[in-house]
Amino acid sequence: MLTLIRCLAIALLAMTPLVARAQDTVQLRTLDGSISVEGKLLSYDGHFFRIETSFGAVTLDGGNVTCTGAACPSDEDMVSEAMISGSAALLVDLVAPLMQAFAARQGYELQTTYLAERESLWVLSDADVTPERTIARLRVRASTDPGESDLHISWREAGRRTASDVIALDGIVAIVAPDNPSTSVTS
């Protein structure tokens, strides 16, 4: 009986590295499902996965793959978040149509949820992936100051630190080609 317990203990100790390695193993699959790579997750910096495969280290763009396995970052850690604030006119007349056009061009869905009188949440997602994958969340806050014309953005990229920037000051000038029939822009 004692020999059986020793044998089981030795077998468990011998299997421990295999269990640890299995927990580090991930599978990265392209969004269209055409390529699948499996290996030990070395790092994820918010943009790129680096995994050790039987062919060596491979780096893949995190925005174009899904990750399965115990070592994968959580879905929440892979979503970029941003806060855009500025004048209501700029947000409604410029930023919203730009985001809608971007979403349509990329094949994404843009959903708007109104949180308060001057605040909403835009969620950009890829519905072509099963399950649907959230790509970014943008909290949009319109300024209460009617004279406010600056447009600010602060963001937290997936897996990275928070940063902030001004994306427009005082005004934006529309420039068109000389042969364009539009000669003026109304506000």
Side-chain angles (χ1 to χ4, degrees):
M1 182 68 171
L2 190 56
T3 306
L4 179 62
I5 292 173
R6 285 183 184 155
C7 287
L8 285 174
I10 291 170
L12 285 173
L13 288 173
M15 288 176 27
T16 302
L18 295 175
V19 171
R21 272 187 255 133
Q23 290 175 348
D24 291 344
T25 302
V26 297
Q27 182 182 37
L28 302 177
R29 183 182 306 272
T30 57
L31 297 179
D32 66 2
S34 63
I35 299 172
S36 179
V37 181
E38 189 172 315
K40 179 183 175 188
L41 181 64
L42 299 174
S43 66
Y44 175 66
D45 69 357
H47 282 293
F48 298 101
F49 283 98
R50 185 156 177 82
I51 64 172
E52 183 66 41
T53 69
S54 57
F55 301 105
V58 175
T59 302
L60 295 169
D61 181 358
N64 295 319
V65 297
T66 57
C67 184
T68 54
C72 289
S74 71
D75 290 341
E76 259 329 281
D77 290 338
M78 295 182 66
V79 176
S80 294
E81 296 177 347
M83 164 66 87
I84 302 174
S85 60
S87 75
L90 277 175
L91 293 172
V92 171
D93 297 335
L94 178 67
V95 178
L98 285 173
M99 282 301 301
Q100 290 166 348
F102 172 78
R105 185 172 192 155
Q106 298 298 318
Y108 297 149
E109 288 185 12
L110 182 64
Q111 299 170 337
T112 302
T113 304
Y114 295 96
L115 305 174
E117 182 181 346
R118 295 185 164 267
E119 191 171 336
S120 59
L121 179 67
W122 297 346
V123 177
L124 192 63
S125 58
D126 188 352
D128 292 337
V129 177
T130 304
E132 183 174 300
R133 186 175 90 158
T134 299
I135 296 167
R137 277 190 287 278
L138 298 104
R139 188 175 291 266
V140 181
R141 185 175 295 153
S143 172
T144 57
D145 180 4
E148 174 75 40
S149 59
D150 296 353
L151 198 55
H152 299 268
I153 184 168
S154 60
W155 67 91
R156 182 198 61 81
E157 288 184 84
R160 293 185 176 205
R161 63 179 177 77
T162 301
S164 181
D165 209 348
V166 176
I167 53 177
L169 288 174
D170 298 326
I172 296 175
V173 178
I175 300 172
V176 296
D179 60 345
N180 190 317
S182 298
T183 57
S184 65
V185 177
T186 59
S187 58

